[in-house]
Amino acid sequence: MDSNSVSPMPELAPIAEFDKSPPSPPNEEVPMDDLPPPPATISQVEGKKKLKIQRSRSYDSEEHERGACEWCEYALVITLATILLIGVSALTIFWTFFYREGYGWADDIPEKQFNLHPTLMIAGFITFSGFSVLLYRICRCFRRIYVKLLHAIFHALAFPCIVIGFLAVLDFHNKKGINNFYSLHSWIGFVAMGLFGLQYVVGFFSFLLLLICNKGTANFRASLVPIHAAFGVLTFVLGVCACLTGLTEKALFALGADRYSGLPDEGVIINAIGVTIIAITAVVMYILSRNKFRTEARDMRASVDL
């Protein structure tokens, strides 16, 4: 055999091509409960959307109508209370100047000094105290801290009115030789003044704690709120009773029973002042009884933090 001849290479078998696809899972039956729900049709989806829109519109219209009625009622009673609270002091001043010769503080005319008593007591116990009670209903859109400041300001305005009015009648009685604290009017007024002073001290103490330590005294100040509010309403009612009994005494002493029974012009004015005070009491109690006039619940919960 020739050494230079090259023998042919043997042919190799082709490499087998393997299937690289992942193995199929075993054929297991899936329970019907684990299957997803069938897709909803377009008509069903549109129907649900329409129903949801109709419900939301009905709810919005009901809330809008209810809110509008509440705001109309709120505006009406608050406006009426404001007119009455200011009007009763204005009517008292008119009565004093037109029928009682105005005001004064002199030894020769002690009657003018007495005229300060009904005017200042009505201003303190009715006008300023009434606004102070209603501030948490009137100022619904104010921050809580501002309402507290206005509440304190109205109390601060009522305090000197009550003190000066009390000193005026006390000095008048001493000059005239009249006994003090003998009538039902004086007893009611004395209790009302005591409660008012106590309320003023408690309110000032609570506000002072707010400024000194806000977070640490939150629970304590929150526990004082219902007590302070209840005694505030009681003080206002006692002030109303004191003013009504005082007006009756003044009418009987100044006009006399016989003349007062004839219903003279001054008697009509005195009665009008008394009726206005009664109307104020009714309106204030109605406003306080309406929880919807109060500030929002979130504001009430956050009030101790402001």
Side-chain angles (χ1 to χ4, degrees):
M1 185 173 183
D2 191 0
S3 59
N4 294 329
S5 64
V6 180
S7 60
M9 295 293 294
E11 295 182 358
L12 299 176
I15 300 173
E17 295 182 359
F18 296 98
D19 188 7
K20 298 181 180 180
S21 60
S24 59
N27 189 11
E28 295 181 358
E29 294 183 0
V30 179
M32 297 299 294
D33 295 338
D34 296 337
L35 294 177
T41 61
I42 297 177
S43 60
Q44 291 177 347
V45 173
E46 291 180 352
K48 291 180 179 180
K49 288 183 178 180
K50 290 180 179 179
L51 181 60
K52 186 176 182 180
I53 292 173
Q54 290 177 357
R55 289 179 178 176
S56 63
R57 288 178 178 176
S58 63
Y59 293 153
D60 293 341
S61 62
E62 289 178 1
E63 292 179 358
H64 178 72
E65 182 180 359
R66 183 176 57 192
C69 294
E70 290 179 3
W71 273 104
C72 288
E73 180 187 6
Y74 166 80
L76 179 62
V77 295
I78 293 299
T79 302
L80 179 61
T82 303
I83 293 174
L84 291 174
L85 287 171
I86 297 175
V88 69
S89 289
L91 188 59
T92 306
I93 294 172
F94 167 77
W95 165 54
T96 304
F97 276 105
F98 198 81
Y99 293 100
R100 297 284 105 191
E101 300 179 353
Y103 305 99
W105 198 293
D107 294 335
D108 54 344
I109 311 177
E111 286 76 13
K112 289 187 176 182
Q113 178 179 329
F114 177 86
N115 292 339
L116 291 170
H117 176 68
T119 304
L120 292 178
M121 287 302 186
I122 288 176
F125 276 124
I126 305 301
T127 301
F128 291 132
S129 294
F131 276 117
S132 181
V133 169
L134 294 180
L135 274 176
Y136 290 97
R137 296 329 195 250
I138 296 175
C139 305
R140 298 177 64 182
C141 301
F142 285 33
R143 289 188 60 186
R144 197 75 174 180
I145 185 65
Y146 299 147
V147 180
K148 288 179 179 290
L149 287 174
L150 289 174
H151 184 73
I153 289 172
F154 275 103
H155 267 294
L157 292 173
F159 186 78
C161 291
I162 294 173
V163 171
I164 297 174
F166 171 71
L167 294 177
V169 69
L170 188 66
D171 189 56
F172 171 78
H173 281 187
N174 293 334
K175 290 176 180 178
K176 288 288 189 178
I178 303 174
N179 294 329
N180 295 307
F181 303 109
Y182 68 92
S183 64
L184 178 63
H185 162 66
S186 60
W187 286 22
I188 296 174
F190 188 76
V191 175
M193 287 189 297
L195 284 178
F196 181 86
L198 182 63
Q199 284 285 98
Y200 194 85
V201 172
V202 172
F204 179 78
F205 177 69
S206 177
F207 189 74
L208 188 63
L209 288 179
L210 169 64
L211 297 179
I212 295 175
C213 183
N214 183 10
K215 299 295 183 180
T217 61
N219 293 331
F220 174 71
R221 288 184 289 109
S223 64
L224 285 179
V225 170
I227 301 174
H228 183 68
F231 275 92
V233 175
L234 177 60
T235 304
F236 177 76
V237 173
L238 287 176
V240 168
C241 295
C243 291
L244 292 176
T245 54
L247 287 171
T248 303
E249 280 191 7
K250 181 61 178 176
L252 292 175
F253 291 161
L255 302 177
D258 295 336
R259 186 183 172 196
Y260 184 45
S261 62
L263 202 62
D265 293 341
E266 185 177 1
V268 172
I269 297 297
I270 295 175
N271 291 347
I273 296 173
V275 171
T276 305
I277 293 175
I278 295 174
I280 289 172
T281 308
V283 174
V284 169
M285 292 304 164
Y286 175 78
I287 294 174
L288 294 179
S289 66
R290 297 285 288 170
N291 292 328
K292 295 180 180 179
F293 293 162
R294 301 178 66 178
T295 54
E296 297 296 333
R298 56 182 178 86
D299 296 334
M300 295 295 293
R301 290 193 299 267
S303 63
V304 295
D305 297 332
L306 294 179

